[in-house]
């Protein structure tokens, strides 16, 4: 039998959402407080820290599930919740003097570039000054208090979640306004107007007393919903209401009368001990000098290779080799199951592993880390086998040293995937894997370097483009050390390790293009001068320096074409499995009298991957030039804005593949069960699959959230590209507007696609 | 930024209060649990000396998890019972829903003209004791497969005695796709508006010197290294 005691404290662990938000605020404050405490220990004392953190704790308690649940059943508990929001949390938060600590706790770039312009804005100062007028604050507080205790309003909040949120927001906002003048006034030297504060508090207490008296002495239930809920602890609705009135009256009044008494006492005697001289200056933190491994704001960059265990494991290369072998064996299993196993995609390892699992994790790796897929790619094994064979190898033909072949192969891959439903054909998937192994071996056998990865592999090009938005990047730790380096082992290699297989010279390497993250350069560098750094995602797309082996991107039409295929294929691929698009395709096929949908599908991909991108980019940039009269190279800006779409494309790919993963992640159970039965480990019987761990509504929200982040990334990069070439704010806006419409249109197209029923085939 | 709190002149104001208010509003807005007292009593019945009360959110929507709370207490107002077995049986009365085909998935779960129409089946959910401080109710998240009229039979088993109480529930249609995601659509638009305001302030009246607000485009030219690379 369960008892109250067993159930007692588990509520603490619930409400993690509030706890996370409040915890982050507390961490920001504490971070800023530590800095300010060193500069002004008296001003930012430990009492301030304790007060602010206590205020946050009270806020969390007021919103915690324990009080929330009880407040639906007991008016007295509801009143405690409101008191915490109205008179306990706000003064504690203000006593922490939170403005500067919170600002100092934020990342310096966000505080300096993001928030400071708003704080310097004169109109914002005027509005703030207006909101701090005591009379206005008092009226807002008292008005809120009275309005929400009118039975109609109170019942509305009880019956509607949205109004209940709004009620709490009103209470907290008005209370913050009300207590601001009290706390600020009490911390300064009393002046002629110092007697206003006790009057201010007493007047508010009068209203509070009147309301609480009404609740306490009423002989009928003022809030009818409390008359129908289950009664607890032997109470009646009327006794509960009386208790609520008493709580509001006695403890509530103490929070008004106590500060009023203290302020009045100080007004009558000496200046407050917390007062600061008016001449005290704002603390100025010493600026750290940006160094090679420091960002613009002097924050040291994180080097993954210097982490204790992970860094050592990554540097040895054994982890990579092990994972390559494991994936190579899995690829062989895929081939075997593709030819010998069932022809139903949902129960075939050949379809489940590559199309449901591998694709999703490859893209997820791009988003959270970097090009992990190329790092552990099993197709490099036959390439190395080809290299070890005897015979001469020649350089890759000069005419083919571009990405155009890869662009064509990627287009072919996307088209074939949809036209022949590769995801639904185990044997075709097996053939594709074999073709990959063969091509990798043959190119490695007859050509130098990693020509297959660099110039041919469509999956690799997909990864290279996507990794331009990844946070991890291989780069040198101290550029000055490379100036005196004469061996250049990072690219040439030495006895211990091979150099960069992609021909990237690390001192002038910028970004992740063509980097497979093999870390050969790390092992080869005799100066231990290469690291794996975290950085802002998408930074490569903002900068336009000369890059090792690639030059400037805006001069590389092949890379721009690759990026456009990457972006628009994300939308076309997802759209092709949406029910309305499939119906249109079928209708057009029938109306044209065709026996197969291949022609219509081909036309669809030709239009969406070639014609549409060209028209949209050219049109929007031309419109921008016409509107802004910008005297710059059309080609350069059009190409750079094409590259700026990559975050949106990656977001679309991630959202789309997330759908496949969530819907089909339990397909592996079917496959494993089949294999177990085949091996005689498990007897035949019914199989109950695990349920998806994300319901459709939550999945849709995740997808839209990802798309939104992608849109913001693309818009920011586009803005930066144009900003560096424009003269004024207005010119930037006029130029960016048409291109932003294209981005926004793609964003809404993506949402529309996800709102449609999606065809997932037999793989689910 | 001058502030009285930070020792500035007494008449100066502090825009950071706005920041404080914004943070407080965000704390409220992100609260996923600030919804409990949006619950209403659906029905209540006394049998065998036990009073059973069912509470739910005001709006029942198909396709969305909905928290159900069942209170079981002795009718003489003694403490609520926490050791009963509570099962919620949902019986469709006037509902009709298009069935999902296995090859299609998504928010609508159907495509016009492709899938057959079929009424949903009866389903049951076991309500477990509330993981919270007293008083303990019995909670269960329920997802209605279809909109329409449903009958709820609450089966309470305690000390070899079984009582069943019933009530009717009206479940509304699933929220449309765009309505479901509109907060997530609004957020990027708000972020864009804030960013433009930020840029306007930085590049307009309150602009810093040009070289400070603009990062250098491209990496620094290191001609010696570039020329070295071309030699390799």
């Amino acid at each position: 039998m369960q008892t109250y005691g067993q159930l007692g404290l588990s509520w603490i662990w619930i409400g993690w959402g509030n706890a996370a938000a409040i915890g982050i605020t507390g961490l920001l404050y504490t971070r800023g407080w530590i800095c300010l405490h060193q500069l002004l220990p008296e001003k930012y004392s430990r009492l301030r820290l304790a007060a602010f953190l206590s205020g946050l704790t009270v806020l969390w308690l007021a919103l915690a599930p324990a009080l929330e649940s009880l407040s639906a059943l007991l008016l007295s508990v509801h009143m405690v919740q409101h008191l915490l929001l109205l008179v306990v949390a706000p003064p504690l938060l203000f006593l922490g003097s939170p403005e500067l600590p919170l600002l100092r706790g934020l990342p310096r770039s966000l505080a300096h570039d993001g928030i400071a312009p708003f704080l310097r804005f004169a109109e914002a100062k005027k509005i703030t000054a207006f909101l701090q007028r005591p009379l206005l604050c008092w009226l807002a507080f008292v008005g809120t208090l009275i309005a929400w205790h009118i039975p109609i309003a109170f019942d509305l909040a009880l019956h509607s979640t949205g109004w209940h949120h709004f009620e709490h927001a009103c209470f907290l906002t008005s209370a913050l306004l009300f207590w601001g003048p009290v706390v600020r006034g009490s911390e300064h030297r009393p002046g002629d107007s110092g007697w206003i504060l006790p009057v201010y508090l007493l007047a508010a207490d009068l209203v509070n007393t009147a309301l609480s008296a009404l609740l306490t002495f009423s002989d009928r239930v003022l809030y009818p919903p409390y008359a129908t809920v289950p009664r607890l602890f032997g109470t009646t609705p009327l006794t509960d209401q009386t208790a609520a009135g008493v709580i509001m009256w006695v403890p509530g009044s103490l929070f008004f009368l106590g500060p009023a008494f203290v302020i009045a006492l100080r007004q009558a005697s000496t200046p407050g001990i917390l007062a600061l001289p008016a001449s005290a200056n704002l603390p100025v933190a010493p600026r750290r000098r940006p160094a090679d491994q420091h960002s613009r704001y002097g924050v040291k960059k994180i080097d993954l290779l210097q982490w204790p265990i992970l860094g050592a494991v990554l540097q040895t290369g054994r982890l990579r080799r092990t994972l390559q072998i494991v994936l190579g064996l899995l690829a062989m299993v895929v081939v075997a199951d593709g030819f010998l196993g069932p022809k139903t995609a949902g129960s075939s390892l050949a379809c489940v592993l590559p199309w449901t699992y591998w694709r999703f994790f490859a893209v997820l790796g791009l988003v959270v880390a970097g090009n992990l897929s190329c790092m552990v790619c099993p197709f490099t094994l036959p390439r190395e086998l080809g290299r070890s064979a005897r015979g001469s190898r020649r350089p890759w033909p000069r005419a083919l040293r571009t990405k155009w072949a890869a662009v064509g192969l990627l287009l072919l891959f996307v088209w074939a995937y949809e036209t022949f439903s590769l995801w639904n054909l185990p044997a075709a998937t097996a053939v594709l894997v074999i073709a990959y192994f063969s091509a990798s071996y043959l190119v490695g056998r007859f050509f130098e370097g990693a020509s297959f990865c660099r110039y041919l592999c469509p999956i690799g090009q997909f990864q290279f483009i996507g990794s331009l938005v990844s946070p991890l990047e291989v780069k040198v730790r101290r550029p000055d050390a490379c100036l005196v380096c004469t061996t250049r082992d990072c690219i040439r290699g030495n006895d211990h390790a091979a150099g960069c297989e992609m021909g990237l010279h690390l001192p002038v390497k910028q970004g992740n293009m063509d980097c497979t993250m093999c870390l050969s350069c790390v092992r080869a560098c005799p100066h231990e001068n290469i690291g794996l750094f975290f950085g802002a995602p998408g930074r490569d797309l903002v900068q336009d320096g000369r890059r090792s082996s690639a030059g400037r991107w805006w001069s590389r039409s092949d890379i721009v074409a690759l990026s456009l295929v990457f972006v628009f294929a994300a939308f076309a691929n997802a759209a092709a499995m949406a029910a309305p698009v499939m119906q249109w395709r079928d209708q057009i096929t029938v109306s044209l009298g065709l026996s197969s949908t291949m022609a219509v599908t081909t036309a669809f991909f030709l239009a969406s991957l070639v014609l549409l991108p060209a028209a949209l980019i050219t049109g929007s940039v031309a419109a921008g030039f016409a509107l802004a009269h910008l005297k710059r190279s059309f080609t350069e800006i059009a190409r750079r804005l094409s590259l700026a779409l990559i975050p949106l494309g990656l977001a679309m790919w991630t959202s789309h593949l997330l759908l496949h993963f969530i819907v089909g992640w339990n397909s592996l159970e079917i496959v494993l069960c089949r294999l177990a039965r085949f091996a005689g480990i498990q007897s035949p019987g019914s199989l109950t699959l695990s349920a998806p761990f994300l319901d459709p509504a939550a999945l849709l929200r995740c997808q839209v959230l990802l798309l939104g982040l992608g849109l913001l990334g693309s818009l920011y990069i586009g803005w930066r590209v144009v900003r560096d070439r424009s003269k004024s704010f207005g010119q930037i806006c006029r130029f960016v507007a048409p291109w932003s419409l294209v981005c926004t249109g793609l964003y809404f197209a993506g949402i529309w696609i996800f709102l449609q029923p999606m065809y997932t085939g037999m793989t689910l | 930024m001058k502030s009285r709190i930070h020792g500035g002149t007494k008449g100066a104001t502090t825009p950071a209060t706005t920041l404080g208010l914004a943070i407080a509003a965000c704390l409220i807005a992100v609260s996923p649990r600030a919804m409990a007292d949006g619950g209403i009593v659906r029905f209540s019945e006394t049998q065998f000396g036990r009073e059973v009360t069912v509470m739910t959110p005001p709006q029942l929507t198909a396709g969305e998890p909905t928290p159900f709370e069942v209170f079981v207490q002795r009718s003489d107002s003694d403490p609520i019972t926490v050791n009963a077995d509570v099962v919620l049986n949902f019986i469709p009365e006037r509902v009709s829903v298009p069935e999902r085909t296995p090859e299609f998935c998504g928010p609508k779960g159907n495509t016009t003209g492709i899938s057959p129409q079929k009424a949903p089946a009866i389903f049951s959910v076991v309500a477990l004791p509330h993981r919270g401080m007293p008083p303990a109710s019995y909670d269960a998240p329920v997802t209605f497969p279809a909109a329409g009229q449903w009958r709820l039979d609450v089966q309470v088993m305690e000390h070899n005695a079984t009582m069943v109480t019933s009530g009717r529930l009206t479940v509304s249609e699933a929220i449309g796709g765009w309505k479901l995601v509109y907060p997530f659509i609004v957020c990027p638009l708000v972020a864009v508006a804030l960013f433009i305001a930020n840029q306007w302030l930085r590049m307009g009246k309150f602009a810093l010197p040009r070289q400070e607000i603009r990062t250098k485009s491209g990496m620094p030219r290191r001609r010696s290294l570039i020329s070295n690379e071309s030699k390799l």
Side-chain angles (χ1 to χ4, degrees), chain A residues 1-2 4 7-8 10-11 14 17-18 21-22 25 43-44 59 63 65-66 68-73 78 97 99-100 102-103 112-114 117-122 125 128-129 132 157-159 161 164-165 172 176 184 188-189 228-232 278 280 282 296 482-483 488 491-492 505 507-508 510 543-546 548-549 552 579 583 663 696-697 700-701 704-705 708 712 715-716 719-720 723 726-727 729 732 747-748 751 754-762 764, chain B residues 1-10 12-21 23-25 27-28 30-41 53 55 58 63-65 71 73 77 79-83 100 102-112 114 129-136 177-178 180-181 184-185 188-189 191-192 194-203 205-206 208 210 212-219 221-222 224-226 228-229 232:
Chain A
M1 176 179 170
Q2 287 183 282
Y4 287 145
L7 297 169
S10 60
W11 60 270
I14 311 173
N18 280 340
I22 290 172
T25 309
K43 166 75 176 165
Y44 292 96
L59 194 61
L63 301 174
E68 283 287 338
S69 301
L70 282 172
S71 66
L73 304 168
H78 205 158
S97 188
E99 296 91 342
L100 267 190
L102 283 176
L103 277 175
H112 184 267
D113 294 342
F118 291 105
L119 299 180
R120 285 197 297 266
F121 186 36
K125 289 180 182 177
T128 310
Q132 287 179 342
L158 284 175
H159 284 91
T161 306
H164 185 225
H165 286 168
L172 191 58
L176 285 170
R184 280 194 300 273
H188 287 78
R189 293 170 187 276
T228 59
V229 293
R231 299 315 314 164
L232 307 173
L282 288 175
R296 181 182 162 200
C482 296
L483 288 171
R488 297 167 202 126
I491 190 167
R492 285 178 168 165
H505 189 205
V508 284
Q510 186 183 0
Q543 299 162 345
D544 185 31
R546 188 202 182 285
S548 176
S549 84
R552 288 181 185 275
Q583 282 181 326
V663 172
L700 181 64
R701 287 173 182 140
V704 176
L705 183 67
L712 291 178
L715 289 177
Y716 176 73
W719 178 274
R720 288 290 305 270
R723 193 184 79 176
S726 303
K727 292 177 182 173
F729 177 78
I732 301 172
Y747 167 70
F748 280 108
I751 295 175
F754 290 135
L755 288 174
Q756 306 310 310
M758 305 288 268
Y759 180 75
T760 54
M762 295 307 292
L764 284 184
Chain B
M1 183 177 64
K2 287 189 174 181
S3 163
R4 283 200 294 181
I5 293 175
H6 295 132
T9 56
K10 192 171 181 181
T13 56
T14 164
T17 302
T18 312
L19 176 68
L21 293 177
I23 289 172
L27 288 175
I28 294 292
V30 299
S31 162
R33 290 281 302 181
M35 55 177 289
D37 53 351
I40 58 170
V41 176
T53 308
M55 291 180 75
E64 288 244 313
F71 291 86
Q73 59 188 137
S77 294
I80 21 185
T81 308
V82 292
N83 60 345
R100 292 182 180 194
E103 294 188 356
F104 278 87
C105 60
K108 292 179 182 173
N110 182 33
T111 180
T112 312
I114 290 182
H130 179 58
R131 291 193 311 136
M133 67 181 294
W178 290 100
L180 198 66
V181 296
F184 296 86
I185 295 173
L189 301 180
V192 169
L194 284 174
F195 178 77
I196 290 175
N198 172 282
Q199 293 293 301
W200 175 68
L201 291 170
R202 290 180 67 191
M203 301 179 70
K205 192 174 177 181
F206 303 94
L208 294 172
R210 196 176 179 84
E212 287 189 40
I213 62 168
R214 294 192 175 186
T215 56
K216 291 176 183 175
S217 63
M219 60 182 294
R221 284 173 180 273
R222 296 190 206 102
S224 57
L225 293 174
I226 292 169
N228 283 343
E229 183 200 23
L232 292 170

Side-chain angles (χ1 to χ4, degrees), chain A residues 594-625:
Chain A
L594 301 172
S595 58
S596 153
T597 58
M598 182 187 285
V600 180
T601 306
T602 306
F604 171 73
F605 276 98
L606 185 68
S608 57
L609 299 186
V610 180
L611 302 178
L612 188 66
L616 287 177
I617 294 296
T618 310
S620 62
V621 175
F625 269 98

Side-chain angles (χ1 to χ4, degrees), chain A residues 347-617:
Chain A
S347 53
S348 171
L349 209 57
C351 289
V352 171
L353 273 187
W355 303 120
T356 302
Y357 281 82
W358 174 80
R359 275 197 308 176
F360 171 69
F361 285 113
V363 173
L364 186 68
L366 287 175
V367 174
V368 301
N371 192 355
L372 301 181
S373 178
C374 284
M375 188 181 192
V376 297
C377 177
F379 299 125
T380 55
L381 297 175
R383 189 191 72 192
E384 290 178 20
L385 196 67
R387 275 187 198 169
S388 63
R390 290 182 182 177
S392 62
R393 271 169 285 279
R394 64 187 72 173
W396 186 252
R398 186 171 289 275
L400 295 177
R401 289 182 195 173
T402 65
K403 301 287 186 187
W404 283 114
V407 172
L409 287 171
L410 187 59
L411 277 172
L412 183 68
F413 181 81
V414 173
W415 170 81
Y417 174 84
E418 209 58 55
T419 305
F420 301 113
S421 303
L422 290 183
W423 76 91
N424 219 9
L425 301 172
T429 307
V431 170
L432 191 66
V433 174
I434 291 173
Y436 241 97
F437 273 120
S438 308
S440 176
Y441 173 81
L442 290 173
V443 175
R445 170 68 183 82
F446 294 109
F447 296 97
E448 294 174 350
S451 303
F452 177 76
C453 303
R454 191 169 174 184
Y455 301 114
L456 289 179
C457 177
I459 298 173
Q461 309 311 316
F462 181 97
Q463 293 289 321
F464 294 149
I465 292 291
S467 66
L468 296 179
V469 194
S470 300
L472 277 179
E473 181 183 347
V474 179
K475 58 198 291 188
V476 295
R477 289 172 177 149
R478 302 176 307 277
D480 293 344
C482 296
L483 288 171
V484 295
C485 175
T486 54
T487 58
R488 297 167 202 126
D489 290 348
C490 61
I491 190 167
R492 285 178 168 165
N494 52 32
D495 295 339
H496 305 292
C500 179
E501 59 185 11
M502 303 295 282
L504 299 173
H505 189 205
L506 262 292
V508 284
K509 170 184 174 292
Q510 186 183 0
N512 288 322
M513 178 56 86
D514 286 350
C515 179
T516 59
M517 288 179 71
C518 63
L519 303 184
S520 298
C521 53
V522 175
R523 289 184 285 277
C525 179
H527 311 292
E528 296 184 351
N529 193 30
I530 299 173
L532 189 56
F533 291 94
F534 275 104
R539 62 203 172 281
D540 297 343
L541 299 169
V542 174
Q543 299 162 345
D544 185 31
R546 188 202 182 285
R547 294 150 203 271
S548 176
S549 84
R552 288 181 185 275
W553 277 348
W554 64 264
S555 65
R556 292 286 303 267
S557 53
D558 53 339
I559 291 179
V560 173
L562 192 62
S563 67
L564 285 177
V565 171
F566 173 89
V567 172
F568 282 82
F571 291 89
N573 188 249
M577 57 183 277
V581 177
M582 294 177 70
Q583 282 181 326
W584 294 336
R585 183 197 62 186
D586 294 343
Q587 286 169 1
I588 293 170
T589 305
V590 171
S591 64
L592 293 176
L594 301 172
S595 58
S596 153
T597 58
M598 182 187 285
V600 180
T601 306
T602 306
F604 171 73
F605 276 98
L606 185 68
S608 57
L609 299 186
V610 180
L611 302 178
L612 188 66
L616 287 177
I617 294 296

